[in-house]
Amino acid sequence: MTLNAYKRILMERLTEKRYLHSLAVADEATRLAEKYGADPDRAYLAGLLHDIMKDAPKEEMLQTMERFGIILTDIEKNAPKLWHAVAGACYVRQQLDVEDEGVIRAIRYHTTARKNMSLLEKILYLADFTSADRDYPGVENMRKAVEQGLETAMTEALSFTITDLAEGGLPIHPDTFEAYNQIALQNRGA
Ligand code: DGI
Ligand code: FE
Ligand code: FE
């Protein structure tokens, strides 16, 4: 499928705001790929498709995951915001014939992050934080961090996310704290 074909599908599936976010993340992921030595075309594709299921009804996300035999843990059942990443990864493989496992994995982990992330996974995770359309309090700090280095930026992004979730009383997915712990240990020279 061509990029234009993907864009037409995204336009049908997403609100205008979310579609523009997807384009902005694709551009930011491309820029970070060029800066940090990943493949810019794969980064663009991952950015473009990462939120493809974000505006889908919950039922559709659940059905998509079920079809792939994915069993949700209690934490996942109670955190519908995590579903679009898992369902999105299933959808791009099955419906869009994306065969690049690295791209599929980047989409799968773009919300929670995980331990042992690939370069492409980190780039998508961070591009989602620093894309041009983002304007949350703290975004300038994240934009500075992403210029300083991927590890610095991952440290910032994960501690920002975990703090935010804990302040809101939300459950933290094990993949998120495993990602955080791995980086915290690295930063302490362990
Ligand atoms: O889809 P986007 O809005 O562009 O961004 P995203 O895919 O990073 O989703 C962010 C949302 O996901 C935000 O509301 C926080 C939530 N989230 C991220 N990690 C966790 C989480 N929610 C829970 N409960 N646990 C997590 O570990
Ligand atoms: Fe997302
Ligand atoms: Fe996003």
Side-chain angles (χ1 to χ4, degrees):
M1 245 187 247
T2 63
L3 287 178
N4 276 333
Y6 289 140
K7 286 179 188 173
R8 273 196 295 277
I9 294 167
L10 285 167
M11 265 191 264
E12 277 167 23
R13 299 196 63 94
L14 300 177
T15 61
E16 190 182 8
K17 186 168 189 264
R18 183 65 52 185
Y19 176 67
L20 295 174
H21 165 72
S22 304
L23 295 181
V25 172
D27 285 343
E28 176 71 353
T30 305
R31 188 183 75 83
L32 294 178
E34 279 161 357
K35 182 172 165 73
Y36 290 113
D39 181 330
D41 294 337
R42 296 174 74 213
Y44 186 89
L45 185 62
L48 189 66
L49 299 177
H50 81 287
D51 274 341
I52 192 157
M53 288 296 267
K54 181 87 181 186
D55 295 327
K58 282 186 185 174
E59 241 347 276
E60 188 185 351
M61 290 193 264
L62 289 171
Q63 275 169 14
T64 305
M65 291 187 282
E66 207 177 285
R67 236 184 292 131
F68 265 78
I70 288 168
I71 311 285
L72 297 181
T73 63
D74 280 347
I75 286 190
E76 289 160 354
K77 276 184 208 147
N78 287 293
K81 289 201 168 162
L82 305 181
W83 299 354
H84 74 285
V86 180
C90 298
Y91 182 88
V92 301
R93 179 191 273 126
Q94 195 174 54
Q95 308 288 323
L96 305 184
D97 297 326
V98 173
E99 285 174 353
D100 185 330
E101 289 300 326
V103 168
I104 295 170
R105 224 174 295 118
I107 295 171
R108 166 70 184 78
Y109 291 103
H110 88 264
T111 304
T112 55
R114 69 173 180 115
K115 201 176 156 184
N116 297 332
M117 288 169 96
S118 69
L119 180 59
L120 188 66
E121 287 169 58
K122 288 176 190 168
I123 282 173
L124 178 59
Y125 184 76
L126 293 170
D128 204 10
F129 272 84
T130 57
S131 59
D133 61 306
R134 292 296 200 197
D135 63 355
Y136 57 88
V139 69
E140 287 314 324
N141 192 39
M142 277 303 308
R143 291 201 172 111
K144 269 185 214 137
V146 94
E147 297 317 308
Q148 284 161 5
L150 283 184
E151 297 312 310
T152 309
M154 286 302 299
T155 305
E156 285 290 325
L158 284 165
S159 64
F160 181 94
T161 300
I162 286 180
T163 305
D164 211 47
L165 292 169
E167 277 173 357
L170 289 163
I172 293 165
H173 194 280
D175 288 339
T176 308
F177 70 68
E178 282 177 17
Y180 171 83
N181 282 344
Q182 184 178 43
I183 287 197
L185 285 169
Q186 266 167 22
N187 289 342
R188 297 175 69 83

